Amino acid sequence: MKKIFQIILGISFLFVLVGCSSQETATFTRKTDNAEFFVIYTYDKNKDTVSKLKIESTESDAISEVRKENEEIFETLKGIDGVVTSITEKDGKLISTVEIDLTKNKFSTLKDSDNVFIRALIRSGYLTGDGDDALFSKSKEAPIKQGFKEQTKK
């Protein structure tokens, strides 16, 4: 009986922790004739802080040209803590992804980066913040200004 109580208590505790999570995801999309772009923020709803930024593009034309350009950019991102890049081809389309984990690399550190890609993200406002934290309410303004549409949850 004691074991059953401990199992039930453990499961209940797990549900409480999951239920208290204030992590949200917001996805912004923009389509052109031959490409689709996604900007995905994972953020703490209560604190308004971005914990992860993912930028993804799916392009159908000039795959070899775009791939070479993206590989050169991604090469400069190697070794930056919390940054993961990938390039894949699927169904004749090139999918390029950059993920920045802001739990591993503070916003204040990224602001001081000499990496061209990171500096461009910050200069264009995709990551905007205060001190060590990028703020979602401010960061989301950049993709909206550049024609991205926020996907709403149904």
Side-chain angles (χ1 to χ4, degrees):
M1 186 69 170
K2 188 176 180 183
K3 276 240 191 246
I4 292 173
F5 178 72
Q6 287 175 335
I7 291 170
I8 292 171
L9 185 62
I11 291 171
S12 300
F13 183 68
L14 183 63
F15 281 119
V16 168
L17 285 177
V18 171
C20 292
S21 174
S22 61
Q23 289 288 317
E24 295 278 331
T25 302
T27 302
F28 298 84
T29 61
R30 187 178 82 189
K31 293 181 183 181
T32 63
D33 289 339
N34 60 352
E36 189 169 12
F37 303 93
F38 301 90
V39 176
I40 304 160
Y41 292 96
T42 303
Y43 65 99
D44 185 311
K45 186 176 179 180
N46 295 334
K47 296 178 183 175
D48 188 37
T49 56
V50 177
S51 57
K52 188 181 284 186
L53 171 64
K54 180 178 179 181
I55 299 172
E56 183 174 292
S57 66
T58 303
E59 302 177 64
S60 58
D61 290 345
I63 287 178
S64 59
E65 247 178 73
V66 172
R67 182 181 192 106
K68 184 179 179 196
E69 290 173 11
N70 288 349
E71 285 174 346
E72 290 173 4
I73 292 169
F74 290 1
E75 186 65 31
T76 70
L77 294 167
K78 281 187 178 177
I80 299 176
D81 196 27
V83 177
V84 178
T85 61
S86 69
I87 298 175
T88 57
E89 288 183 36
K90 184 176 179 183
D91 300 328
K93 295 183 180 184
L94 182 71
I95 303 167
S96 303
T97 306
V98 176
E99 288 186 53
I100 302 172
D101 186 342
L102 282 98
T103 63
K104 294 182 178 181
N105 211 333
K106 294 180 181 180
F107 175 66
S108 57
T109 305
L110 292 174
K111 283 191 336 188
D112 294 335
S113 173
D114 58 355
N115 182 278
V116 175
F117 183 83
I118 300 291
R119 290 175 66 107
L121 278 178
I122 292 170
R123 201 173 321 121
S124 62
Y126 283 85
L127 286 174
T128 302
D130 189 26
D132 287 340
D133 298 316
L135 303 175
F136 173 68
S137 60
K138 292 185 178 188
S139 298
K140 75 176 186 174
E141 293 173 7
I144 291 170
K145 285 180 183 176
Q146 293 189 4
F148 282 77
K149 303 290 182 204
E150 184 171 5
Q151 291 181 338
T152 55
K153 297 174 185 171
K154 295 177 182 176

